[in-house]
Amino acid sequence: MKHTKVKDLLNSTKPIDDVMVKGWVRTFRNNQFIALNDGSVLHNIQCVVDFENTPAETLKRITTGAAVAIKGNLTESQGAGQKYEIQVKELEILGDSDPEKFPMQPKKHSLEFLRENAHLRVRTNVFGAIMRVRSVLSFAIHQYFQEKGFVYVNTPIITGSDAEGAGEMFQVTSLPVGNPPLNEEGKIDYKQDFFGKETNLTVSGQLEAETYAMALGQVYTFGPTFRAENSNTSRHLAEFWMVEPEVAFNDLDANMDLAEDFIQYVIKFAMDRCADDLKFLDQRLADEEKQKPQAERSELGLLDKLNFVLENNFKRVSYTEAIDILKNSKPNKNKKFNYIIEEWGADLQSEHERYLVEKHFKSPVILFDYPAKIKAFYMRLNDDNKTVRAMDILFPGIGEIVGGSQREERLDVLQQKIADLGIDEKELWWYLDTRRFGTAVHSGFGLGFERLVLFVTGMGNIRDVIPFPRTPQNAEF
Ligand code: 4AD
Ligand code: MG
């Protein structure tokens, strides 16, 4: 007999005889009521055990965490709280769970404790909801780009280039780490390494995506990305997923339009498909906010925030304007920022980004035209010769969610930039070929997928929106 998903049973419009469900016991009350969850939906289905006719041995084994198969009739529930329940006719214990040892007790656990048990935390309501939303968001990303005729490109994970030029890379090698072969200069001889050269895990698929955009027109990558930055924050992972569209003939304005439309689409998609989970996460956040002192509480709930993003245009503000706002801001004047903004050219820290979004504009913001000095080599130089056509999208509670730009399409300007930065042109010969053969205006951006999931679920720490987070000093599981 095939089993039916709890979701389908709870959505049933009529009672059904002889159904089977399989799932994990969340709680077992009064030797009679099992709350069963199978992950298909947030809610449990109540299964009512005929305890008088069930052996005591079996009843003892119905414990939190146990896997069970249940056959019975789906009937209208007598109790409050659910429309349907299952009157159990047969119950089989598929896998026992020692109630003394099972870490996911039916009570509130701290997020820290759950992180230490990341292999089991998905058995809680919160993590079940987050991971279903994450899954739907990633489907929405493909749906959006596919509907628009973008081609999905799988850029390599192992690469020889450092797209962002930040040098925060994990090396990939098959040389013996303790005793690598040396060349005549006494340096590690990478010619003997697996690829015959130094390689690393990619920090971005952009450079390869650009080559594909120069043939396929509109492309996107969506894959894992690695950064060895030692940032132990609630916004950074060493392994995260990035979505990177790249579009031929788009200038920066078109790039901003695309990013805004895309983000609104995927959020709307998740709100339509994950209404139950998001309602639950909205309540979770509201409960959490209640623990905070009044002054620190957010005025908007999670669903309010999501609706706000759908209904309002993102504010487009140049870097230069932003610096003026920040210079004249209270926290800058009162030296409340950790990094005081003194002059044009300063790199913005997340405290500044969040001030702009949360206090000043109270809206998502797209900052554009940054100083060339603080941005990557591939961004298009403006006529002022000091700013580049960069854009960062800043979100409330998150800070930077998107980084992108119009790309420098002029070969000579790009070569000069590469030379100025001391990058060896030979390393990028293939990238420069796109500018040698049929170069064209083009633009793209990268959206940090976990930062999007963070925003949509209202969670506070990026470690809680990816199944098994990779962060400094932590690669368990
Ligand atoms: O701003 P970034 O570094 O831009 C790029 O990598 C470009 N090559 C993208 C492009 O134009 N195709 O990174 C893009 C986004 C950031 O805005 C942020 O959301 C996310 O990736 N991100 C991280 N997310 C989690 N952990 C980290 N360590 C991240 N670093 C960047
Ligand atoms: Mg960035």
Side-chain angles (χ1 to χ4, degrees):
M1 187 177 170
K2 257 187 88 174
H3 68 277
T4 310
K5 280 184 297 200
V6 169
K7 183 180 185 170
D8 296 333
L9 293 175
L10 292 177
N11 281 337
S12 179
T13 48
K14 55 178 194 319
I16 315 171
D17 282 347
D18 295 315
V19 296
M20 174 150 88
V21 282
K22 291 181 178 179
W24 293 269
V25 175
R26 282 290 174 83
T27 56
F28 185 37
R29 275 189 304 122
N30 300 346
N31 248 352
Q32 193 176 11
F33 302 108
I34 302 174
L36 191 76
N37 192 283
D38 71 351
S40 60
V41 62
L42 176 73
H43 310 284
N44 307 319
I45 194 158
Q46 173 158 288
C47 304
V48 186
V49 179
D50 176 6
F51 61 98
E52 282 167 351
N53 294 308
T54 307
E57 256 320 289
T58 308
L59 291 175
K60 256 202 334 217
R61 293 171 62 197
I62 307 174
T63 58
T64 297
V68 296
I70 286 172
K71 284 185 195 165
N73 296 340
L74 184 75
T75 58
E76 272 169 32
S77 176
Q78 319 296 310
Q82 65 270 322
K83 190 162 162 234
Y84 287 110
E85 64 191 14
I86 295 176
Q87 296 294 333
V88 179
K89 291 200 277 193
E90 272 179 63
L91 183 147
E92 187 190 349
I93 306 282
L94 301 174
D96 289 283
S97 171
D98 183 341
E100 304 291 310
K101 294 193 181 134
F102 185 55
M104 298 295 112
Q105 294 297 321
K107 59 163 196 172
K108 196 170 169 6
H109 294 287
S110 75
L111 291 169
E112 289 77 14
F113 173 81
L114 292 171
R115 249 169 250 150
E116 287 161 15
N117 290 281
H119 60 307
L120 295 173
R121 67 179 177 175
V122 71
R123 297 193 191 193
T124 63
N125 281 340
V126 179
F127 282 88
I130 294 168
M131 294 308 157
R132 278 185 297 270
V133 172
R134 183 182 164 108
S135 165
V136 167
L137 278 170
S138 81
F139 180 61
I141 287 164
H142 285 291
Q143 179 89 6
Y144 178 82
F145 287 120
Q146 296 286 333
E147 270 176 9
K148 287 201 158 341
F150 282 62
V151 179
Y152 177 39
V153 179
N154 302 114
T155 50
I157 305 282
I158 300 175
T159 152
S161 67
D162 176 8
E164 294 306 300
E168 292 160 333
M169 297 178 301
F170 291 101
Q171 198 175 342
V172 175
T173 180
S174 61
L175 293 177
V177 176
N179 183 25
L182 303 179
N183 59 22
E184 280 160 13
E185 290 162 45
K187 294 198 177 132
I188 296 177
D189 185 8
Y190 286 105
K191 290 216 177 67
Q192 295 186 46
D193 202 350
F194 189 91
F195 298 106
K197 62 185 282 191
E198 268 189 89
T199 50
N200 48 270
L201 295 176
T202 187
V203 297
S204 158
Q206 178 196 324
L207 303 192
E208 291 90 350
E210 279 187 56
T211 69
Y212 264 55
M214 286 295 130
L216 299 173
Q218 313 177 93
V219 302
Y220 69 105
T221 71
F222 182 16
T225 310
F226 307 86
R227 298 207 180 164
E229 49 191 334
N230 207 351
S231 305
N232 234 327
T233 77
S234 57
R235 304 285 174 269
H236 288 88
L237 291 165
E239 176 181 296
F240 62 100
W241 285 62
M242 187 155 45
V243 187
E244 296 182 275
E246 192 69 36
V247 185
F249 316 116
N250 261 10
D251 63 9
L252 191 68
D253 288 324
N255 202 30
M256 292 188 207
D257 293 343
L258 176 68
E260 188 169 339
D261 188 54
F262 162 63
I263 293 176
Q264 288 176 331
Y265 177 97
V266 296
I267 292 178
K268 174 84 173 40
F269 193 99
M271 290 179 82
D272 291 344
R273 300 255 180 134
C274 303
D276 273 357
D277 286 320
L278 290 176
K279 198 171 142 214
F280 171 79
L281 291 166
D282 180 75
Q283 189 56 50
R284 189 206 76 90
L285 187 63
D287 294 344
E288 191 129 291
E289 288 288 310
K290 273 188 217 137
Q291 313 291 319
K292 294 185 186 164
Q294 190 86 40
E296 286 170 32
R297 283 184 209 165
S298 161
E299 291 159 31
L300 298 181
L302 175 61
L303 294 173
D304 301 330
K305 274 191 232 169
L306 299 180
N307 276 316
F308 185 88
V309 170
L310 298 189
E311 287 157 12
N312 292 280
N313 291 334
F314 301 0
K315 293 261 160 35
R316 300 183 185 191
V317 184
S318 74
Y319 167 90
T320 303
E321 277 174 79
I323 286 290
D324 282 341
I325 293 167
L326 288 167
K327 266 206 313 216
N328 294 315
S329 69
K330 265 197 199 149
N332 205 58
K333 287 184 167 159
N334 301 340
K335 307 231 180 306
K336 285 273 153 54
F337 284 142
N338 290 322
Y339 294 88
I340 303 302
I341 300 284
E342 312 265 14
E343 57 190 280
W344 193 93
D347 205 352
L348 301 184
Q349 307 295 324
S350 76
E351 56 180 345
H352 308 125
E353 297 175 342
R354 294 183 66 168
Y355 173 84
L356 290 169
V357 172
E358 288 158 30
K359 297 280 180 326
H360 189 85
F361 290 106
K362 296 193 174 10
S363 144
V365 172
I366 310 185
L367 285 189
F368 61 92
D369 284 351
Y370 280 75
K373 264 201 225 127
I374 58 172
K375 288 292 182 186
F377 74 94
Y378 51 71
M379 297 187 182
R380 194 182 193 287
L381 191 62
N382 279 312
D383 292 342
D384 62 11
N385 270 327
K386 45 175 218 194
T387 58
V388 286
R389 300 244 76 190
M391 64 170 208
D392 277 6
I393 303 186
L394 313 178
F395 258 46
I398 306 288
E400 180 190 334
I401 192 164
V402 161
S405 62
Q406 183 176 322
R407 319 306 189 187
E408 182 55 76
E409 83 285 9
R410 298 163 297 182
L411 179 63
D412 53 338
V413 181
L414 191 56
Q415 281 172 318
Q416 187 58 51
K417 192 71 170 287
I418 288 174
D420 291 348
L421 288 170
I423 307 171
D424 187 355
E425 202 177 289
K426 280 195 227 107
E427 302 273 313
L428 288 171
W429 65 273
W430 53 273
Y431 183 68
L432 291 168
D433 266 1
T434 55
R435 277 62 170 176
R436 287 192 183 101
F437 308 112
T439 191
V441 165
H442 63 289
S443 301
F445 61 84
L447 168 98
F449 182 54
E450 283 74 21
R451 293 196 186 172
L452 174 72
V453 183
L454 206 50
F455 182 73
V456 174
T457 57
M459 299 301 290
N461 192 317
I462 201 162
R463 295 168 170 84
D464 297 331
V465 298
I466 188 165
F468 298 103
R470 300 290 178 246
T471 51
Q473 299 298 310
N474 170 37
E476 195 62 50
F477 308 104

